[in-house]
Amino acid sequence: MSALIDALHRRLPTERVITDELRRLAYGTDGSFYRLIPEVVVVVHTEDEVRDVIQLARSHARPVTFRAAGTSLCGQAVTDGILVLLGEGFAECTISPDGAAVRVGPSIVGAEVNRRLAPLGRKIGPDPASINAAKIGGIAANNSSGMCCGTAQNSYNTLAAIRVLLADGSVLDTAEASNVQAFRQSHAGLLDGIAGLAAEIRADHALVHRIRAKYKIKNTTGYSLNALVDYTDPVDILAHLMIGSEGTLGFISKVTYHTVPEYAHKASCLVFFPTMDIACQAVVGLKQQPVDAVELLDRASLRAVAHKPGMPPQLKTLDEGVTALLIETRAPDGAALQGRIKAILAELGNYALVEEPAFTTVPAEMEALWNVRKGTFPAVGAVRKPGTTVIIEDVAVAVPDLAACCLDLQHLFAKHGYHEALIFGHALEGNVHFVFTQDFGTEAEVARYAAFMDELCTVLVKKYDASLKAEHGTGRNMAPFVELEWGTQAYDLMRRIKTLFDPESLLNPGVIINDDAEAHLRHLKPMPAAGELYAPVDRCIECGFCEPQCPSHGLTLSPRQRIVGWRELSRRKANHEEPGQLGEDYLYMGLDTCAACGLCSTACPVGIETGALVRAARGEQLSGVARQLGQVAANHFGATQALARTALKAGHLAAGLVGDTALSKLTKGAWKPGMPHPQPLGRASRTSGDKVVYFPTCAGRIFGAESAEQALSATVIRVLERAGYAPIIPDDVNSLCCGQSFSSKGMASEADQKSAALEAALLKASDNGRYPIIMDASACTMRMKSFLEGRLQVLDLIEFAHDALLPRLMLHKKEAPIMVHLNCSARRMGFDQKLRLLAQACAQDVVMPAEVKCCGFGGDRGFAVPELNAHALRKIHDAIPAGCCGGYSSNQTCEVGLTANTGLTYRSIVHLLDECSAEAARMATC
């Protein structure tokens, strides 16, 4: 193995050849219930690098598995060989002028492609539930579909062109005629082999009929045999065989999709039927109507989400056996939408219903209805016992068989003891998912699962000729059953396809084609209890939905990967094993480089905030001396703040002597270019007008500006007074703190001590809540909103400025473009629209980069581990428009990091209001 590692180091930068135990474990984990730890992980950015890795793998006889997002549920993206992680070099996205086609790389997230297509009213056809995290490579390689996609709009049927790197290192790009012509000459043998297989199938009319029938419903079991009957040109066949091949035939480096319309006019309705049978009868009728999605939810699904916030109240009282259909219809305009609603309601009138159905077009109400569907999977994951995993499988049957199939599934669940199982899915396609929990910790439990899978697959195939995998891909879990579903003749064809493309079985072996009848029972992932410090961590299903939100993902670890590492450390602790080097590495990768921003919780299906685990772990790591110093700082916060201001002044003196760049190097990045100068606290002068309590947060009090007049507190006071308010500053403000800076270091008791003191001061200043209370840093606002729990209302400067200041201020818009950063706290509080509207009231051109989420400064992380801040902002530079006159946000430390990393001056959004309202006042007097 060392020879392979040495060879990889000669071909790739050292930092992209990963051999440490922690990251091999963490990076090698996908969303499935399988665990294989790669020998080495490599990060690639170009086709040439992929080719080099494959060549080295062949010369060292090691298997290769490609990984995009790793959200796959069936073990397609795990290996004990070489794991190839697709880097950002493969995140290409080129849209045709009319939006009718888009050429994308395999490492761009599906939702990001749709975001870029949205202004043209288009989207890609595949719409998996994981689209906010899943990348194009996985979407294409698994032929993923989704709620509205059906079979007509999946990757196979919307493929315009594909670029693939084959096991021999050659490239076929069907978008380039010259490449295709050269490939026909260089790979005549491969193409002849494909053509021979296609001719063999077409000569067997019974097999052709069977293949066509199998693909009338969703089907991702095995290879895409429909390519051999749908196309005659072997190049077209090859291109479509790659879709759904799960990385076993070649590497997909680019995909060109025909896009589909994304209609703005939508309506949704949740319809209740007294029985599963009646609901499924309605599905048959609805398939003839203008519907875009019909989601089925059985009674167990409805019961599982009934007590969640925002759910329809009737979910708690429905009779046993009631089944729901969640229906959505879309149209290019309002009149067409009403016509479609009318047709659907007329169809529903043919069936017995629990209550009269009603469509809504109100976005918030539609979101609430869809949250019923989206909450089903997390509902099982949230209540499972520690040590168990969540299994989600998906099958498809002909729509007329849907009711009987669901009833058989319910019978099998009861027979095998899966009493918590839920059934939901894409009823319009006869595609249902079922979710249950499984403990793989004992032989008896593994045997129970094996018996269930054997009977399940037999019933589905023999009784319904079902697709055992409708849209999740074959993977390791269903590979032993491919022959059962397709039969020996078709399975033999699949074997020959694999051999044609990959004769050495180098690419992702064991996936799709697997001779081991018990392969689905091997390499099962352990899920040790790890919630001693933070209980919700045991709910993690390792799906990876959190990763696009995380500022450290790709630098060290993502939230999922932190939990994987933490679980392993917990297992070792429980077994009295030493943490070893993995434990040492976790201190930096797991704890030091976590921004603890909490954005992971906004994407997590079960609401886990990995930052809470990290804060608790940091607290556990604190030495006695560190905790004593923290207590001293909390008890003497005014002196601590004064010391920080003195240190900042000293930093500016040093920078004046050696320069910002040299000082930054000397301090290992802690000193930042453009660091603010400390300034005195602003003073309020107006006594008449509406009273408002203003608490200047400690970061704003420490980090000032070029002049006292530009200091944050002075600017807030000036804008408040300009709008007719009389600001009240709490007494002894310099000794007050919300506790956020202590919380982020794991000092929970000290943090609560400071929060309680601030609560008392705010109560007094506001006359027990009589006057509004505003805070000028979103992170501090969010902490106090949570700490006060309704006892006292505090408002963030963003929400107060939008709701109360905008109506009172005259504003002159800037002509030059501005940048706006929605920091993680403002994002979590839902202030994105209010911040955008504030900025748009002040500037003609507002840029709010969608790909930049948390800036990674994380309170003091930007000083301690500046590489986290730089990594989190790596995509911001391309978004800065020409002539940009500055940037704005609502957290002082975020603004320090943004200024240092972009070269633009970032300040609070209140500075923008100040400038534009002052200019408006000046122009009014001219």
Side-chain angles (χ1 to χ4, degrees):
M1 187 60 189
S2 61
L4 171 60
I5 302 298
D6 291 342
L8 287 168
H9 277 302
R10 289 192 291 271
R11 303 283 185 96
L12 293 168
T14 298
E15 67 273 12
R16 292 202 269 123
V17 179
I18 298 164
T19 58
D20 60 89
E21 185 182 10
L22 173 58
R23 284 186 294 171
R24 285 191 297 112
L25 169 68
Y27 289 9
T29 297
D30 70 358
S32 74
F33 49 93
Y34 294 100
R35 165 66 47 76
L36 287 167
I37 301 176
E39 292 174 301
V40 61
V41 178
V42 296
V43 182
V44 295
H45 291 292
T46 68
E47 271 184 2
D48 286 341
E49 290 177 349
V50 176
R51 183 183 290 107
D52 287 347
V53 172
I54 291 175
Q55 288 174 348
L56 289 174
R58 177 180 293 107
S59 64
H60 290 83
R62 298 306 301 148
V64 175
T65 294
F66 307 114
R67 165 77 67 83
T71 58
S72 51
L73 299 167
C74 307
Q76 297 97 321
V78 297
T79 182
D80 56 3
I82 303 171
L83 183 67
V84 179
L85 294 186
L86 307 188
E88 292 177 353
F90 285 108
E92 173 189 348
C93 182
T94 305
I95 301 171
S96 66
D98 60 355
V102 59
R103 187 164 172 87
V104 284
S107 70
I108 190 168
V109 173
E112 175 60 20
V113 179
N114 283 344
R115 185 190 68 79
R116 299 186 191 189
L117 285 166
L120 297 170
R122 310 291 292 183
K123 64 177 182 175
I124 59 172
D127 61 342
S130 59
I131 196 166
N132 288 330
K135 296 180 178 179
I136 291 297
I139 290 172
N142 289 302
N143 197 22
S144 306
S145 47
M147 297 182 188
C148 301
C149 170
T151 55
Q153 295 182 351
N154 60 20
S155 291
Y156 181 93
N157 284 309
T158 58
L159 182 69
I162 195 166
R163 183 178 175 93
V164 295
L165 176 68
L166 299 180
D168 65 0
S170 61
V171 171
L172 169 65
D173 190 337
T174 64
E176 297 181 9
S178 59
N179 174 273
V180 172
Q181 183 178 358
F183 189 86
R184 290 186 191 278
Q185 295 176 351
S186 63
H187 285 70
L190 172 63
L191 296 177
D192 287 345
I194 292 172
L197 288 176
E200 184 178 329
I201 290 176
R202 285 196 294 270
D204 188 333
H205 298 297
L207 182 57
V208 169
H209 176 77
R210 174 159 176 71
I211 290 171
R212 294 197 185 281
K214 290 288 289 178
Y215 287 102
K216 286 182 179 178
I217 59 175
K218 289 185 179 182
N219 191 336
T220 60
T221 310
Y223 290 119
S224 300
L225 291 183
N226 49 338
L228 295 159
V229 298
D230 291 342
Y231 299 94
T232 56
D233 186 332
V235 169
D236 290 334
I237 296 172
L238 186 157
H240 288 82
L241 279 173
M242 295 302 300
I243 301 299
S245 62
E246 301 176 34
T248 65
L249 302 182
F251 170 67
I252 299 173
S253 64
K254 288 180 186 177
V255 178
T256 304
Y257 282 113
H258 295 296
T259 62
V260 300
E262 171 66 310
Y263 293 133
H265 296 267
K266 305 175 184 179
S268 295
C269 179
L270 188 62
V271 188
F272 300 101
F273 299 83
T275 68
M276 173 74 73
D277 186 59
I278 296 174
C280 292
Q281 289 177 30
V283 173
V284 177
L286 288 169
K287 197 166 178 65
Q288 310 306 315
Q289 300 301 325
V291 293
D292 288 273
V294 177
E295 294 292 299
L296 179 144
L297 300 105
D298 71 351
R299 184 67 185 96
S301 297
L302 298 172
R303 187 182 301 113
V305 301
H307 295 278
K308 291 182 175 293
M311 294 293 108
Q314 63 266 46
L315 297 189
K316 299 177 182 178
T317 59
L318 294 170
D319 291 341
E320 198 62 34
V322 168
T323 302
L325 295 180
L326 177 57
I327 303 170
E328 180 162 299
T329 184
R330 304 173 179 179
D333 56 61
L337 182 66
Q338 291 304 314
R340 295 184 178 193
I341 291 173
K342 184 178 179 180
I344 296 167
L345 290 174
E347 177 63 35
L348 291 173
N350 296 323
Y351 310 95
L353 303 175
V354 172
E355 61 185 31
E356 193 71 20
F359 275 88
T360 179
T361 59
V362 178
E365 294 176 0
M366 292 173 62
E367 182 180 8
L369 292 181
W370 279 94
N371 283 340
V372 176
R373 163 63 175 85
K374 293 174 182 177
T376 50
F377 180 34
V380 176
V383 300
R384 78 184 194 278
K385 295 178 182 178
T388 64
T389 191
V390 178
I391 294 179
I392 179 169
E393 280 298 346
D394 77 306
V395 301
V397 296
V399 172
D401 291 331
L402 186 59
C405 176
C406 289
L407 293 173
D408 278 342
L409 288 174
Q410 290 173 338
H411 170 73
L412 288 172
F413 297 148
K415 178 179 178 180
H416 292 275
Y418 295 108
H419 301 294
E420 77 290 354
L422 312 178
I423 296 174
F424 57 89
H426 319 315
L428 209 61
E429 304 299 328
N431 175 200
V432 293
H433 303 306
F434 49 92
V435 180
F436 57 94
T437 62
Q438 177 68 49
D439 183 355
F440 287 123
T442 67
E443 290 184 9
E445 279 294 291
V446 174
R448 177 169 73 118
Y449 177 72
F452 170 72
M453 286 296 292
D454 285 344
E455 187 170 3
L456 169 78
C457 293
T458 300
V459 169
L460 288 171
V461 170
K462 301 300 184 185
K463 190 172 180 179
Y464 300 106
D465 196 17
S467 300
L468 295 177
K469 298 297 292 188
E471 60 178 1
H472 292 169
T474 307
R476 296 178 183 275
N477 195 35
M478 209 55 74
F481 302 98
V482 175
E483 186 172 5
L484 171 67
E485 176 179 334
W486 276 100
T488 301
Q489 181 186 9
Y491 188 60
D492 180 63
L493 286 167
M494 293 182 188
R495 284 181 177 279
R496 291 158 65 189
I497 289 169
K498 172 67 171 173
T499 302
L500 266 176
F501 281 84
D502 184 22
E504 298 172 82
S505 197
L506 186 75
L507 305 179
N508 215 8
V511 174
I512 298 184
I513 303 298
N514 197 318
D515 292 329
D516 184 354
E518 295 187 344
H520 61 305
L521 306 177
R522 306 197 192 286
H523 309 297
L524 299 169
K525 181 192 292 183
M527 298 287 274
E532 183 179 345
L533 286 182
Y534 176 62
V537 74
D538 283 328
R539 300 202 301 258
C540 178
I541 53 182
E542 299 180 3
C543 64
F545 284 19
C546 55
E547 291 186 341
Q549 308 297 322
C550 180
S552 63
H553 178 42
L555 174 69
T556 52
L557 300 178
S558 69
R560 163 172 64 177
Q561 293 160 353
R562 283 189 170 85
I563 290 174
V564 170
W566 186 256
R567 280 176 165 157
E568 174 59 15
L569 289 171
S570 299
R571 186 198 65 77
R572 294 184 182 187
K573 182 179 179 181
N575 292 336
H576 307 290
E577 299 176 21
E578 291 297 319
Q581 187 60 46
L582 185 146
E584 289 295 316
D585 290 342
Y586 196 84
L587 294 176
Y588 172 73
M589 296 185 192
L591 303 185
D592 290 349
T593 54
C594 177
C597 63
L599 284 186
C600 50
S601 66
T602 66
C604 176
V606 292
I608 299 167
E609 183 192 342
T610 309
L613 168 66
V614 168
R615 289 191 294 271
R618 285 174 182 166
E620 193 178 56
Q621 293 287 328
L622 286 174
S623 66
V625 172
R627 192 164 289 284
Q628 288 176 358
L629 289 173
Q631 189 63 58
V632 169
N635 292 336
H636 304 281
F637 195 77
T640 301
Q641 178 182 286
L643 184 63
R645 291 168 61 84
T646 300
L648 187 58
K649 290 178 182 177
H652 277 288
L653 286 173
L657 294 173
V658 303
D660 278 335
T661 301
L663 187 57
S664 180
K665 289 181 180 179
L666 288 170
T667 59
K668 296 183 179 179
W671 182 261
K672 311 291 180 188
M675 192 80 87
H677 293 260
Q679 298 294 346
L681 190 67
R683 295 180 177 275
S685 58
R686 182 168 185 156
T687 57
S688 62
D690 296 328
K691 289 184 170 58
V692 59
V693 175
Y694 164 47
F695 175 62
T697 56
C698 55
R701 302 196 305 262
I702 294 171
F703 298 104
E706 288 297 320
S707 67
E709 185 182 49
Q710 294 175 337
L712 178 58
S713 57
T715 305
V716 172
I717 290 168
R718 186 162 57 249
V719 172
L720 287 172
E721 292 183 341
R722 189 176 292 149
Y725 288 97
I728 300 169
I729 308 296
D731 295 336
D732 197 20
V733 69
N734 282 321
S735 69
L736 297 174
C737 168
C738 74
Q740 177 65 19
S741 59
F742 295 92
S743 173
S744 67
K745 297 175 181 62
M747 300 178 182
S749 59
E750 291 82 358
D752 287 348
Q753 172 189 332
K754 298 307 297 180
S755 297
L758 178 57
E759 178 183 2
L762 294 177
L763 272 169
K764 178 182 177 182
S766 66
D767 191 13
N768 292 317
R770 180 181 174 192
Y771 309 128
I773 302 168
I774 61 171
M775 299 177 70
D776 60 20
S778 294
C780 302
T781 307
M782 189 173 74
R783 172 167 174 84
M784 290 308 293
K785 281 177 180 281
S786 173
F787 179 83
L788 292 169
E789 294 180 344
R791 297 189 301 271
L792 185 65
Q793 184 183 25
V794 295
L795 302 171
D796 190 65
L797 185 57
I798 291 175
E799 59 181 323
F800 186 79
H802 175 273
D803 298 346
L805 297 183
L806 273 187
R808 294 190 178 202
L809 293 172
M810 290 191 303
L811 297 169
H812 176 74
K813 285 192 175 187
K814 289 179 174 287
E815 293 184 3
I818 63 169
M819 293 285 287
V820 174
H821 175 64
L822 177 67
N823 60 65
C824 51
S825 299
R827 190 183 299 270
R828 290 179 66 187
M829 290 187 288
F831 294 159
D832 47 345
Q833 185 65 5
K834 289 188 176 185
L835 181 60
R836 187 183 299 276
L837 290 172
L838 275 174
Q840 289 174 342
C842 297
Q844 302 281 1
D845 186 2
V846 175
V847 177
M848 214 165 168
E851 288 193 90
V852 179
K853 298 183 174 84
C854 173
C855 71
F857 211 89
D860 67 346
R861 296 293 87 194
F863 298 123
V865 280
E867 62 271 27
L868 173 61
N869 186 213
H871 178 78
L873 294 177
R874 67 196 183 281
K875 296 182 181 180
I876 198 171
H877 308 283
D878 292 340
I880 299 174
C884 182
C885 65
Y888 301 90
S889 189
S890 60
N891 262 344
Q892 188 89 18
T893 51
C894 296
E895 292 149 20
V896 170
L898 286 158
T899 297
N901 280 279
T902 65
L904 292 174
T905 299
Y906 271 80
R907 297 178 294 167
S908 170
I909 192 70
V910 76
H911 287 282
L912 183 62
L913 286 172
D914 180 40
E915 294 169 5
C916 294
S917 58
E919 179 64 14
R922 186 192 68 79
M923 294 179 67
T925 59
C926 290

